[in-house]
């Protein structure tokens, strides 16, 4: 195995930095992780971030991300990770966060000296010491400005894939430009977290990739070029500071000599463009063609979809450029009411027992006799429902105060998946098969309803650290494209990867019952959204 080639995926997330090394048979041969709060306590972060007093501003010190690289690479070397066999590296960054580099940063990157730490050498590189991250929601004013300038939220969504969102980088840039014009002026390059980590590896400014670039409200998702009107609305000379967008499989340079001497990497190792954590998770979940979708069932539920033709919407989800297929798209739809809401219903109606829950489910039929429920324990994002509560309707659409326990346990699952089907359909997701991941994916009652509502088979498999693993897959994919001197389909690169296990096939008659319920569900939902 001495000539075995390895591929490294790094994931700079909100809370820490992870590494996953895979071989060409997709086996994970080494992993490592560090946590910003506990491994770098001097930055005094909470969950990797600083939450400011206004309750809206959330930032992280970019020098902490630099220090984390020193620490992780030193640890990997000490643990004798076979870094000399790594032929390509790619990676992931929490989406939307920005890194502001001043004049002189490029020289520091180019001249990285293995006798010193990255932290020492990058200490003076930042024009903004506190990078805004995705948890920041302080830019409502800038979002309204952008929507007004571009012709409304749907117009912004049509152009950039999402309506203006507070955490999206363009709005964050506009805020910093307005609040600190001097800092803006001093800035030579604005990177995303993803492209910044890649910059440290290649020792130069690495470009933003199209998939993570879609989380900025600045890039045309179809042409993958900056929308000049959006740039002009945010700040002057922005195109220059952002540089050009590249497809996600692009090699962005050779690994800088800093890492060969210091950590034992081979000098031929290349770096493939880094991307956002959600795009990398799409790759890590091995979604390969239009119609592949994954539903991650966790505290919040997230739907990842691979799609050929998007229909962006001002009211639901995000469309990004696809990280593994330059002509395709990915959709991301997040729900706040996920496992905690399902567990709340289990606790109220099934004595906290999933077994009792499953027994209760057998007492009702798909479609629940026409009863429909909306379980909004937390203010919901998809669709936006701020007023929390449980809203139940009988078969004639009349509000009722409660359901019998056997109706209640079915209503929450049917409601959640009808909502997913309806909103995912609105933005162009047409599932051919579903991969269910996350805690609740082992629950048969849950995957049965999921399969019947969507009318497609459901596969299951837990994929922990999907962003780091997806980065390693993308390193392999990008490397194959370089070796073959042309684009190789991701599916071809991934052939031979382990298959996920099929959990259920849809029941045709149950599916047709759900088809008949969709319109009624959407109509009731409209009423709830309207308050
Ligand atoms: C996606 C988003 C988060 C971050 C978390 O739009 O804001 O998922 O990417 O890392």
């Amino acid at each position: 195995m001495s000539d075995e080639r390895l591929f490294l995926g790094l994931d700079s997330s909100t809370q820490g930095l992870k590494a996953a090394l895979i071989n060409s048979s997709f086996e994970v041969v080494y992993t490592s992780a560090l946590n910003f709060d506990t491994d770098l306590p001097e930055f005094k972060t909470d969950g990797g971030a600083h939450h400011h007093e206004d309750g809206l501003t959330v930032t992280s010190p970019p020098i902490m991300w630099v220090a984390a690289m020193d620490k992780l690479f030193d640890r990997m070397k000490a643990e004798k990770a076979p870094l000399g066999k790594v032929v390509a590296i790619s990676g992931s960054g929490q989406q939307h966060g920005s890194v502001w580099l001043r004049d002189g940063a490029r020289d520091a990157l180019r001249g990285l000296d293995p006798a010193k730490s990255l932290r020492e050498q990058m200490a003076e590189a930042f024009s903004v010491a506190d990078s805004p991250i995705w948890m920041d929601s302080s830019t409502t004013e800038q979002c309204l400005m952008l929507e007004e300038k571009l012709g409304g939220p749907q117009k912004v969504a049509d152009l950039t894939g999402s309506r203006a969102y507070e955490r999206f980088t363009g709005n964050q840039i506009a805020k910093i430009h307005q609040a600190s014009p001097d800092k803006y002026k001093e800035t030579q390059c604005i990177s995303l977290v993803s492209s910044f980590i890649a910059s440290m590896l290649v020792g130069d400014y690495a470009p933003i990739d199209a998939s993570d670039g879609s989380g900025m409200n600045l890039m045309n998702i179809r042409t993958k070029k900056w929308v000049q009107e959006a740039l002009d609305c945010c700040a002057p000379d922005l195109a220059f500071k952002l540089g050009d967008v590249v497809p996600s499989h692009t090699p962005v340079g050779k690994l800088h000599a800093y890492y060969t001497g210091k950590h034992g990497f081979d000098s031929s190792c290349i770096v493939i463009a880094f991307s956002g954590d959600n795009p990398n998770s799409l790759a890590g979940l091995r979604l390969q063609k239009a119609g592949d979708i994954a539903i991650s069932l966790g505290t919040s539920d997230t739907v990842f979809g691979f799609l050929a033709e998007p229909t962006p919407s001002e009211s639901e989800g995000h469309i990004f450029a696809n990280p593994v297929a330059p002509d395709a798209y990915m959709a991301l739809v997040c729900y706040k009411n996920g496992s905690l809401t399902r567990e709340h219903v289990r606790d109220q109606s099934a004595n906290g027992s999933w077994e009792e829950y499953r027994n209760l489910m057998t007492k009702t039929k798909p479609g629940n006799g026409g009863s429909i429920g909306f379980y909004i324990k937390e203010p919901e994002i998809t669709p936006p429902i701020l007023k929390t509560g449980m809203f139940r309707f009988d078969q004639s659409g009349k509000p009722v105060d409660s359901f019998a326990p056997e109706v209640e346990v079915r209503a929450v699952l049917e409601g959640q998946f009808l909502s997913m089907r309806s909103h995912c359909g609105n933005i162009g997701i047409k599932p051919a098969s579903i991969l269910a991941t996350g805690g609740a994916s082992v629950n048969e009652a849950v995957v049965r309803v999921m399969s019947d509502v969507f009318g497609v088979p459901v596969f299951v498999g837990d994929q922990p650290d999907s962003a780091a693993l997806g980065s390693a897959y993308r390193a392999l994919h990008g490397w194959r494209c370089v070796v073959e001197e042309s684009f190789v389909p991701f599916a071809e690169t991934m052939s031979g990867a382990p298959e996920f296990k099929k959990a259920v096939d849809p029941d045709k008659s149950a599916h047709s019952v759900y088809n008949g319920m969709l319109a009624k569900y959407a109509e009731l939902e409209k009423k709830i959204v309207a308050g």
Side-chain angles (χ1 to χ4, degrees):
M1 294 296 258
S2 61
D3 58 350
E4 183 181 49
R5 294 187 179 101
L6 299 180
F7 303 86
L8 174 62
L10 295 173
D11 173 25
S12 180
S13 74
T14 315
Q15 302 187 12
L17 179 65
K18 288 182 191 154
L21 256 183
I22 62 161
N23 60 21
S24 359
S25 311
F26 313 100
E27 290 159 339
V28 177
V29 298
Y30 171 87
T31 59
S32 190
L34 69 79
N35 178 281
F36 296 139
D37 294 357
T38 52
D39 287 310
L40 294 163
E42 66 270 36
F43 294 104
K44 297 188 171 50
T45 53
D46 176 6
H50 294 143
H51 300 262
H52 295 234
E53 268 177 10
D54 62 2
L56 298 172
T57 307
V58 186
T59 61
S60 294
I63 192 71
M64 176 179 77
W65 298 327
V66 176
M69 290 278 282
D70 279 325
K71 202 151 192 165
L72 187 75
F73 278 125
D74 287 348
R75 188 183 290 179
M76 292 199 289
K77 188 178 176 199
E79 291 177 354
K80 301 202 170 21
L83 300 179
K85 294 180 184 171
V86 176
V87 295
I89 307 176
S90 188
S92 170
Q94 53 172 307
Q95 290 202 262
H96 318 296
S98 48
V99 180
W100 298 61
L101 296 155
R102 63 156 56 100
D103 237 348
R106 189 169 218 166
D107 294 335
L109 286 166
R110 286 179 173 166
L112 286 175
D113 172 0
K116 299 181 189 156
S117 68
L118 289 171
R119 184 173 178 174
E120 275 175 271
Q121 299 179 83
M122 294 299 288
E124 303 299 321
F126 305 104
S127 46
V128 173
D130 299 301
S131 285
I133 66 161
W134 66 279
M135 297 166 97
D136 186 285
S137 52
S138 66
T139 66
T140 304
E141 201 183 306
Q142 288 74 20
C143 289
L144 292 172
M145 268 174 53
L146 185 69
E147 291 184 341
E148 194 184 310
K149 180 87 194 267
L150 266 56
Q154 184 60 46
K155 198 74 208 291
V156 178
D158 287 339
L159 271 170
T160 72
S162 304
R163 71 158 164 81
Y165 281 92
E166 277 78 358
R167 66 191 192 286
F168 277 45
T169 325
N171 310 307
Q172 296 290 344
I173 291 172
K175 178 186 152 192
I176 292 182
H177 169 249
Q178 287 158 23
S180 317
D182 290 350
K183 287 187 182 168
Y184 183 81
K185 225 177 183 174
E186 263 177 60
T187 303
Q188 186 180 55
C189 170
I190 301 175
S191 290
L192 294 179
V193 177
S194 56
S195 58
F196 172 63
I197 307 288
S199 301
M200 280 196 285
L201 293 175
V202 296
D204 205 338
Y205 294 154
I208 290 173
D209 82 298
S211 200
D212 209 13
S214 314
M216 303 174 78
N217 277 147
L218 296 177
M219 190 195 82
N220 181 317
I221 43 155
R222 291 171 202 276
T223 62
K224 280 81 175 168
K225 301 250 185 287
W226 302 123
V227 177
Q228 192 57 47
E229 229 187 329
L231 298 182
D232 292 344
C233 178
C234 293
D237 303 323
L238 192 46
F240 174 76
K241 295 186 203 283
L242 294 173
D244 289 337
V245 178
V246 297
S248 310
H249 62 279
T250 306
V252 294
K254 265 194 169 179
L255 186 64
H256 191 279
Y258 177 84
Y259 305 89
T260 54
K262 196 162 180 165
H263 302 106
F265 282 94
D266 191 81
S267 59
S268 63
C269 178
I270 57 168
V271 178
I272 304 299
F274 276 40
S275 191
D277 59 337
N278 292 298
N280 278 295
S281 285
L282 179 117
L285 296 168
R286 307 201 278 275
L287 306 189
Q288 307 173 9
K289 56 183 186 311
D292 285 356
I293 83 166
I295 301 180
S296 154
L297 299 163
T299 308
S300 54
D301 290 344
T302 306
V303 185
F304 298 87
F306 191 127
L307 54 157
E309 195 42 53
T311 48
S313 157
E314 65 175 292
S315 53
E316 57 230 321
H318 307 292
I319 303 290
F320 300 144
N322 191 292
V324 292
D327 297 327
Y329 300 88
M330 73 170 274
L332 185 73
V333 185
C334 298
Y335 285 87
K336 267 221 171 136
N337 288 278
S339 286
L340 299 182
T341 303
R342 289 184 285 273
E343 285 162 17
H344 175 77
V345 172
R346 177 202 61 191
D347 296 346
Q348 298 288 308
S349 301
N351 291 315
S353 149
W354 282 119
E355 202 184 329
E356 193 167 332
Y357 198 106
R358 273 190 295 276
N359 285 337
L360 285 167
M361 289 286 290
T362 62
K363 298 190 175 151
T364 51
K365 293 208 165 57
N368 227 355
S371 299
I372 292 181
F374 296 81
Y375 296 80
I376 314 296
K377 205 171 164 296
E378 297 288 327
E380 185 50 77
I381 323 175
T382 313
I385 303 175
L386 293 177
K387 187 170 171 239
T388 56
M390 312 290 166
F391 309 98
R392 303 175 183 87
F393 300 88
D394 68 12
Q395 72 266 42
S396 60
K398 240 183 49 218
V400 291
D401 286 339
S402 63
F403 283 153
E406 63 273 21
V407 177
E408 183 89 335
V409 295
R410 181 175 282 284
V412 65
L413 297 183
E414 292 188 343
Q416 288 185 332
F417 294 121
L418 283 167
S419 172
M420 278 183 199
R421 182 169 158 199
S422 135
H423 293 288
C424 290
N426 288 349
I427 57 171
I429 299 181
K430 295 189 189 88
S433 73
I434 298 174
L435 170 66
T437 68
S441 63
V442 292
N443 191 320
E444 298 148 41
V446 174
V447 293
R448 162 54 57 207
V449 177
M450 182 191 283
S451 176
D452 291 345
V453 168
F454 282 94
V456 299
V458 172
F459 294 77
V460 289
D462 232 4
Q463 194 68 298
D465 301 332
S466 57
L469 190 61
S471 303
Y473 291 162
R474 288 200 320 101
L476 170 57
H477 180 225
W479 179 82
R480 277 280 309 272
C481 298
V482 170
V483 169
E484 308 214 357
E485 293 181 13
S486 72
F487 182 76
V488 180
F490 185 60
E492 200 179 309
T493 308
M494 295 305 293
S495 93
E499 306 258 314
F500 291 106
K501 194 177 105 222
K502 194 196 267 188
V504 279
D505 271 315
D507 177 297
K508 284 207 175 99
S509 65
H511 181 54
S512 71
V513 171
Y514 292 127
N515 286 345
M517 281 173 86
L518 269 180
K520 185 173 162 202
Y521 181 87
E523 193 187 310
L524 291 173
E525 189 194 76
K526 249 191 215 148
K527 286 191 187 158
I528 291 172
V529 172

